[in-house]
């Protein structure tokens, strides 16, 4: 992508502050809520999850979030494993292509579309669930660019369109390749 951030790299103290905030504001309250709910969860018989979730959740939101989570996990794992991105151009506006991540994205799109279809989703819901990682990330970058948190390193149309190609179109095509098989499948077909 051709985006530059206005912030410098976070220091160790900032990472510790973030970690402490997550522990203090998410993990500890979540654990306390779980401990309070455990007696009530044990008293109930086994739940049928299809009855507990509405149709929109089973056909779109849950599959879409699983697709997004798996796409971000693939990016993190490929980076931690040392599979480095390709630099198309260097300089003030560096263009980066995450080839290992792009190769894993069809699996993420397929997972979202499969889960959507399995939950009873129509073709559009399957496609939206499979393409959700690129929809969410494009929306996020758009909002951050509009609010001034991200700025284009070289605000020229060539760099903008290269960012759209490398950051939205290529990942979208990769996700679509995985999602198409399940979006085309008949609703009556068992998986």
């Amino acid at each position: 992508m051709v985006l530059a951030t206005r912030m410098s790299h976070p220091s160790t103290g900032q990472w510790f502050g973030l970690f402490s905030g997550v522990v203090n504001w998410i993990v500890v309250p979540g654990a306390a809520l779980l401990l309070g709910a455990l007696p009530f969860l044990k008293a109930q018989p086994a739940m049928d999850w299809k009855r507990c979730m509405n149709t929109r959740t089973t056909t779109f939101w849950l599959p879409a979030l699983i697709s997004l989570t798996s796409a971000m996990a693939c990016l993190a794992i490929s980076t931690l494993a040392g599979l480095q991105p390709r630099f198309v151009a260097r300089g003030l506006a560096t263009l980066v292509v995450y080839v290992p991540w792009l190769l894993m994205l069809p699996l993420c799109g397929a997972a979202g579309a499969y889960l959507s279809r399995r939950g009873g989703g129509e073709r559009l819901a399957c496609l939206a669930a499979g393409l959700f990682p690129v929809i969410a990330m494009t929306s996020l970058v758009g909002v951050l660019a509009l609010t001034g948190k991200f700025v284009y390193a070289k605000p020229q149309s060539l760099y903008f369109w290269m960012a759209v190609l490398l950051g939205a179109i290529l990942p979208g095509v990769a996700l679509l390749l995985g999602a198409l098989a399940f979006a085309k499948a008949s609703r009556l077909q068992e998986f």
Side-chain angles (χ1 to χ4, degrees), residues 8-181:
S8 62
H9 294 289
S11 67
T12 306
Q14 289 172 322
W15 282 114
F16 179 74
L18 175 67
F19 175 75
S20 298
V22 168
V23 168
N24 289 331
W25 290 98
I26 297 173
V27 175
V28 171
L33 289 170
L34 180 64
L35 286 174
L38 278 178
F40 299 103
L41 293 175
K42 289 181 181 178
Q44 299 209 0
M47 290 195 273
D48 181 18
W49 288 105
K50 288 198 177 209
R51 283 191 357 220
C52 293
M53 289 190 281
N54 65 20
T55 304
R56 189 175 36 233
T57 303
T58 57
T59 61
F60 175 69
W61 284 112
L62 187 60
L65 292 175
I66 289 173
S67 180
L68 175 65
T69 303
S70 63
M72 294 301 105
C74 285
L75 179 61
I77 290 169
S78 68
T79 303
L80 289 174
L83 303 173
Q84 297 300 317
R86 295 279 179 192
F87 293 96
V88 178
R90 294 182 189 258
L92 183 58
T94 302
L95 302 174
V96 181
V97 180
Y98 288 91
V99 176
W101 181 58
L102 287 173
L103 294 175
M104 291 186 258
L105 279 180
L107 297 173
C108 302
Y114 167 75
L115 292 172
S116 176
R117 180 60 77 181
R118 186 172 178 204
E122 299 293 329
R123 286 187 179 141
L124 187 59
C126 289
L127 286 175
L131 292 172
F132 190 71
V134 78
I135 294 168
M137 295 308 290
T138 302
S139 301
L140 176 66
V141 169
V143 167
L144 291 176
L146 289 175
T147 59
K149 300 296 180 190
F150 277 159
V151 293
Y152 290 101
K154 277 192 169 182
Q156 298 173 354
S157 64
L158 171 68
Y159 292 107
F160 172 77
W161 290 113
M162 287 300 292
V164 169
L165 173 70
L166 300 177
I169 294 174
L170 286 180
V173 168
L175 289 165
L176 185 64
L177 286 174
L180 275 178

